[in-house]
Amino acid sequence: MTFLTSLPELDQPDSVYDIVGVGFGPANLALAIAIEEHNETAAPDQRLTAAFLEKQPSFGWHRGMLIEGATMQVSFLKDLATLRNPNSRFSFVSYLHDQGRLVDFINHKVLFPSREEFHDYLRWCAAGVDHMVRYGLEVTAVDPAENSMEHGSVREVELTAQGVDGTGRATYRARNLALGTGLVPRMPEGVARSARVWHSSEFLHRLAEFRATEPRRFVVVGAGQSAAEVADHLHRTYAGAEVCAVLSRYGYSPADDSPYANRFFDPEAVDVYHGADTSVRHQLMEYHRNTNYGVVDIDLIDELYRRAYQEKVRGEQRLRIMGTSRVTHIEQADDGVVVQVQNLADGSVEQLTADVIVYATGYTEPDPAVLLGGLAESFRRDENGRALVHRDYRLHTDEMVETGIYLQGGTEQSHGITGNLLSMVAVRAGEIRASLVARRQASVTVPA
């Protein structure tokens, strides 16, 4: 794939970028693509300059859950570019053509590619905008840039980045920021990760280091897609081990992917959601939580049920779906972890000794205030203390901060369920790009 070099060159001394992205997951990758395509057709003085800083040594997206056979939950058409620009050379179809698999994929007759293939598509896209990215750098601070204050306003910010391999520090200066650091794995209060206590986000990494040749039992906590995929994989992989799936429901519930429910993921739904008052937003989210949260693809539910039923036929029970239950206590031992599971219906407690317990307990949104330090004092907040976000994904700030701070994730409360999902990354990238162009043009002063 050919590309147009973004100007100024990355790491050029004294460069001030139109935007610096913190993190380089799918959201900021989509933004880099949108900027790249803008620069290919814009006049030289209208091009946007951009740099993206990523702490990983190379591009990677949820590598810990790239389970063989797992498929995407969104259509391949909701890639990084198609909904914004159907003619984009960064589309999933363009990727298939470049890899020589377009006809094969068509014959496959699927809308939802494997997670492994989609990850390969993301890496392919990242290679096409590699000139904008610096890997192995973790942003540790964002401060007002020296000598950037005009009339008491912050016009530019300076980012301090630390080399994760110990190579030292680097600084970048920007007129705008795009925060795309991703979601934070959530563990139950008081539970810390360890060699025997895992979060699903690290599942395959931990499994690769797992040394037990004949494990006896795994416990998987959670009722969503990740929990079901982990239970399925462990049950298939370790033929002699018992897999205990602990969830507070009777069993796994199917995701609502019906056509009208899926409108909650449409670009137009963001306008509706952002324009509604807080009570309506809350009501809409409660109505449609079962499109994404705590739900599982029906095909996987059917497969797990089939296996559990077949085991009953054989007089064995290696896959245990422990519904209406919760883990109340864990205690690590030298050779495993002791897990107490309480039945919510009758209060009875069962004690299990497992080799590993996996918490598929979801994620929390990152707090932008943690990275932005003193700048966070300028955030305008709602009645619940949450930062307000403009329709173009910029944080509402006091007039003293003119730098645009765009959120690539963490906007569910203001923009709806797509705030943290892949469904809107292409469209959102286009909207942020349009905002950057408009703000850049508005800042240009023309002599009288």
Side-chain angles (χ1 to χ4, degrees):
M1 180 186 293
T2 58
F3 54 78
L4 177 72
T5 300
S6 180
L7 298 175
E9 296 288 346
L10 200 57
D11 298 336
Q12 181 178 325
D14 302 321
S15 295
V16 180
Y17 296 94
D18 287 311
I19 189 163
V20 170
V22 182
F24 199 61
N28 267 347
L29 172 53
L31 178 58
I33 290 170
I35 291 172
E36 178 78 356
E37 292 184 343
H38 167 80
N39 288 348
E40 289 174 344
T41 58
D45 62 345
Q46 296 299 313
R47 294 175 183 170
L48 295 171
T49 58
F52 295 86
L53 310 179
E54 168 58 50
K55 66 180 179 181
Q56 294 187 100
S58 61
F59 183 86
W61 174 70
H62 290 313
R63 290 182 182 272
M65 282 297 291
L66 293 180
I67 296 173
E68 183 177 358
T71 59
M72 299 294 295
Q73 278 76 59
V74 295
S75 166
F76 71 89
L77 293 173
K78 291 185 176 181
D79 56 29
L80 301 183
T82 296
L83 289 182
R84 173 183 56 80
N85 175 18
N87 296 319
S88 173
R89 60 190 175 87
F90 289 91
S91 70
F92 187 78
V93 170
S94 294
Y95 156 77
L96 290 172
H97 183 269
D98 183 73
Q99 300 296 302
R101 295 199 308 271
L102 179 56
V103 173
D104 296 327
F105 186 85
I106 292 171
N107 290 339
H108 198 24
K109 298 181 181 180
V110 297
L111 277 174
F112 309 103
S114 71
R115 201 171 295 158
E116 179 182 10
E117 183 175 31
F118 201 80
H119 184 269
D120 191 60
Y121 157 70
L122 295 176
R123 289 195 302 177
W124 177 83
C125 288
V129 291
D130 192 58
H131 54 289
M132 293 189 190
V133 191
R134 282 294 175 266
Y135 294 101
L137 284 179
E138 181 175 9
V139 176
T140 57
V142 178
D143 299 292
E146 293 184 6
N147 304 321
S148 70
M149 304 283 288
E150 292 188 13
H151 308 294
S153 297
V154 178
R155 304 291 297 274
E156 299 167 4
V157 293
E158 187 172 85
L159 297 88
T160 301
Q162 183 73 39
V164 295
D165 59 356
T167 55
R169 299 199 312 172
T171 58
Y172 291 80
R173 193 159 170 163
R175 301 181 185 92
N176 301 279
L177 296 177
L179 302 183
T181 54
L183 298 174
V184 180
R186 179 174 57 221
M187 296 289 285
E189 186 176 355
V191 177
R193 287 186 273 180
S194 70
R196 301 273 183 181
V197 181
W198 307 347
H199 187 271
S200 57
S201 61
E202 58 185 348
F203 175 62
L204 290 183
H205 304 314
R206 290 288 193 177
L207 203 59
E209 300 169 354
F210 187 54
R211 292 292 177 256
T213 55
E214 295 183 1
R216 298 161 296 172
R217 179 182 290 124
F218 295 94
V219 174
V220 182
V221 182
Q225 183 72 24
S226 294
E229 289 179 359
V230 167
D232 167 62
H233 184 76
L234 291 171
H235 187 261
R236 286 188 287 110
T237 303
Y238 298 98
E242 181 180 88
V243 177
C244 300
V246 181
L247 55 162
S248 57
R249 306 178 183 185
Y250 276 108
Y252 299 112
S253 299
D256 184 357
D257 60 353
S258 57
Y260 287 111
N262 274 342
R263 286 188 168 176
F264 200 38
F265 300 91
D266 290 352
E268 292 80 4
V270 178
D271 291 323
V272 172
Y273 197 91
H274 192 271
D277 63 36
T278 302
S279 63
V280 174
R281 290 179 186 176
H282 177 76
Q283 190 175 46
L284 287 171
M285 187 62 70
E286 289 304 306
Y287 283 154
H288 297 291
R289 288 188 67 83
N290 64 342
T291 59
N292 183 68
Y293 293 114
V295 290
V296 182
D297 285 347
I298 188 62
D299 290 343
L300 181 53
I301 294 175
D302 288 342
E303 172 59 20
L304 291 172
Y305 191 90
R306 182 197 67 76
R307 284 190 224 162
Y309 180 80
Q310 189 61 35
E311 288 178 354
K312 283 189 176 183
V313 172
R314 295 171 184 161
E316 61 184 48
Q317 192 177 21
R318 198 168 62 81
L319 177 59
R320 295 184 61 191
I321 307 299
M322 304 178 71
T324 63
S325 299
R326 66 180 178 184
V327 173
T328 57
H329 181 72
I330 65 171
E331 185 174 336
Q332 298 193 55
D334 293 338
D335 59 347
V337 56
V338 178
V339 182
Q340 290 186 357
V341 180
Q342 181 184 44
N343 186 297
L344 298 175
D346 60 22
S348 61
V349 175
E350 181 176 356
Q351 184 167 289
L352 304 170
T353 300
D355 293 85
V356 167
I357 181 170
V358 183
Y359 284 93
T361 44
Y363 300 82
T364 57
E365 294 182 339
D367 181 1
V370 174
L371 183 63
L372 296 175
L375 288 171
E377 297 176 2
S378 71
F379 295 178
R380 295 183 179 178
R381 301 180 183 274
D382 64 15
E383 63 275 12
N384 297 313
R386 295 176 300 192
L388 295 171
V389 187
H390 289 286
R391 176 60 184 83
D392 64 356
Y393 299 93
R394 272 184 308 121
L395 283 169
H396 273 271
T397 59
D398 295 337
E399 293 181 359
M400 66 165 289
V401 178
E402 295 185 26
T403 297
I405 303 172
Y406 295 86
L407 298 186
Q408 289 272 43
T411 58
E412 189 174 273
Q413 82 284 355
S414 58
H415 289 69
I417 202 166
T418 59
N420 298 320
L421 304 177
L422 282 173
S423 300
M424 271 287 292
V425 292
V427 175
R428 181 171 66 220
E431 292 174 347
I432 292 176
R433 182 191 67 184
S435 176
L436 289 171
V437 171
R439 286 167 57 82
R440 188 175 190 274
Q441 291 173 345
S443 67
V444 174
T445 56
V446 180

